[in-house]
Amino acid sequence: MRIENRISRLRTLLEEKILDAVLVTKEENVRYFSGFSGDSAVLLVTREYLMLVTDSRYTEQAAAEAPLYEIVAQKDGLYAKTAELTAQMGVVALGFEGGALVYDQHQKLCTLLGEISFDTSLSLDALRQIKDANEIALIRRACAIADEAFARVIGDIRPGMTEMEIAAALEWYMRRAGSERPAFQTIVASGVRGSLPHGVASGKQVAHGELVTMDFGAVCGGYHSDITRTICIGRADARQRSVYDAVLTAQQRALSAIRPGVTGAAVDDAARAVLDAQDLNQYFGHGLGHSLGLEIHEEPRLSQAGKELLQPGMLITDEPGVYIPGWGGVRIEDTVLVTSEGSEALTHAPKEFIEICL
Ligand code: ZN
Ligand code: ZN
């Protein structure tokens, strides 16, 4: 979808909500509706005008990246300039993203804007749920980069390496392949630390006989990928193998349940039923997955609370996990595109149980 189309959706919102202007403050939404990839900027969109307010560090970049917008430089603060512009344009009713402003910013904005009436309920994030072909292509590339990093790091992992060294290797491979930055703080959790679903890499050394869970992702053009694989150092024992098989079956069952028209709760149920049959559901504490795009965590979610229907063009993760305190854990995650027929996993790193035997 071209920026023009995105802007017309914003302008439709002006009509629906009977507003004179929309103020876009959230960084990802500024990017989505203008093309500008920096920070410290807001967009002011009216029926006639498109303005991007930023400071001198960004004016040149903004002019290049957001050619549809008039670039307005501010010296005394984003909101002071915004108030000046709304006054000049005679804006009486302004909509903004209540969920994206902290209390102090909201107070400041209200003081500066004076008599204007506000609609703070705008949820612009919802307009980003269905991805277009360009967005999908960027996520596909971010997934391919993560896949490649996994293939390479498997050749590096040795007993005695620290989790941080493994995380650094993953991030290095991704960066070298074109990732702008890690999609989030890389998770490497080995042995008993595997029971921490978000165990960021520590100084712990990985040891023979341990499971190692790696959760990482790349960023391309601002768009994220998200993948988790769990491997074993040395031969797995019977329990490690049976937990792994259960999580993999749950992950695949959920993947085949993903299609347009189903709720996130139904997909979550599909995975949970597999783990329940093995008495493992009690160790699966989080939801099955989340949408992703310009942000790593977006709506809708795959969880018991997921009432929204999936639609073609949504990007979601499928990531069941089993976390057993004192033992460790297994999680397997793919980034998945909802297609008109069903689903397509965009991450392709192997999911058969990898045992690193040296
Ligand atoms: Zn992840
Ligand atoms: Zn995830």
Side-chain angles (χ1 to χ4, degrees), residues 70 77 95 147 175 220 231 241 274 307 314 348 352 358:
E70 180 188 335
D147 282 342
R175 186 86 185 189
C220 292
I231 55 116
R241 181 161 289 281
V274 173
K307 301 290 174 249
M314 286 181 171
H348 298 293
E352 61 266 23
L358 302 164

Side-chain angles (χ1 to χ4, degrees), residues 188-227:
V188 179
S190 61
V192 291
R193 290 193 77 249
S195 66
L196 307 171
H198 272 194
V200 295
S202 75
K204 178 190 170 300
Q205 294 179 322
V206 301
H208 195 82
E210 286 184 340
L211 294 175
V212 182
T213 296
M214 291 165 273
D215 187 349
F216 55 98
V219 180
C220 292
Y223 286 82
H224 297 73
S225 62
D226 192 0
I227 179 172

Side-chain angles (χ1 to χ4, degrees), residues 89-112:
M89 293 187 295
V91 170
V92 177
L94 177 74
F96 62 87
E97 308 167 271
L101 287 185
V102 299
Y103 181 77
D104 283 1
Q105 290 169 323
H106 176 250
Q107 292 291 97
K108 193 170 178 183
L109 203 54
C110 290
T111 310
L112 284 163

Side-chain angles (χ1 to χ4, degrees), residues 39-288:
D39 54 29
S40 306
V42 298
L43 306 178
L44 198 56
V45 175
T46 71
R47 286 173 185 76
E48 291 150 83
Y49 299 106
L50 295 171
M51 279 177 275
L52 187 155
V53 187
T54 187
D55 60 71
S56 62
R57 293 171 299 165
Y58 286 121
T59 45
E60 189 182 345
Q61 181 186 340
E65 290 181 339
L68 297 177
Y69 283 74
E70 180 188 335
I71 310 302
V72 181
Q74 61 82 11
K75 285 200 181 77
D76 305 316
L78 279 174
Y79 297 138
K81 183 55 90 179
T82 300
E84 198 183 307
L85 294 169
T86 51
Q88 272 170 21
M89 293 187 295
V91 170
V92 177
L94 177 74
F96 62 87
E97 308 167 271
L101 287 185
V102 299
Y103 181 77
D104 283 1
Q105 290 169 323
H106 176 250
Q107 292 291 97
K108 193 170 178 183
L109 203 54
C110 290
T111 310
L112 284 163
L113 294 175
E115 294 302 299
I116 285 179
S117 75
F118 300 116
D119 185 336
T120 61
S121 66
L122 297 190
S123 175
L124 304 183
D125 295 358
L127 301 178
R128 294 191 278 118
Q129 283 186 1
I130 312 273
K131 273 65 179 177
D132 64 36
N134 289 340
E135 295 177 289
I136 293 167
L138 289 167
I139 295 172
R140 213 179 267 282
R141 203 171 127 225
C143 287
I145 289 173
D147 282 342
E148 187 191 324
F150 179 74
R152 288 178 182 274
V153 87
I154 286 302
D156 295 342
I157 296 176
R158 301 276 181 278
M161 252 177 116
T162 66
E163 293 173 350
M164 277 196 241
E165 285 170 330
I166 295 170
L170 281 167
E171 288 171 13
W172 156 248
Y173 289 131
M174 289 192 290
R175 186 86 185 189
R176 212 172 54 166
S179 174
E180 291 156 17
R181 56 183 165 81
F184 47 87
Q185 206 173 359
T186 300
I187 290 169
V188 179
S190 61
V192 291
R193 290 193 77 249
S195 66
L196 307 171
H198 272 194
V200 295
S202 75
K204 178 190 170 300
Q205 294 179 322
V206 301
H208 195 82
E210 286 184 340
L211 294 175
V212 182
T213 296
M214 291 165 273
D215 187 349
F216 55 98
V219 180
C220 292
Y223 286 82
H224 297 73
S225 62
D226 192 0
I227 179 172
T228 306
R229 291 292 184 267
T230 301
I231 55 116
C232 189
I233 303 189
R235 290 266 171 245
D237 64 26
R239 192 180 190 198
Q240 288 169 330
R241 181 161 289 281
S242 75
V243 171
Y244 189 92
D245 288 346
V247 173
L248 180 57
T249 306
Q251 205 264 351
Q252 287 168 328
R253 199 68 62 79
L255 195 55
S256 42
I258 294 172
R259 71 180 77 89
V262 302
T263 62
V267 182
D268 186 90
D269 277 342
R272 224 163 272 281
V274 173
L275 296 177
D276 208 24
Q278 309 266 341
D279 255 350
L280 291 170
N281 191 32
Q282 57 181 309
Y283 302 115
F284 176 29
H286 56 74
L288 180 70

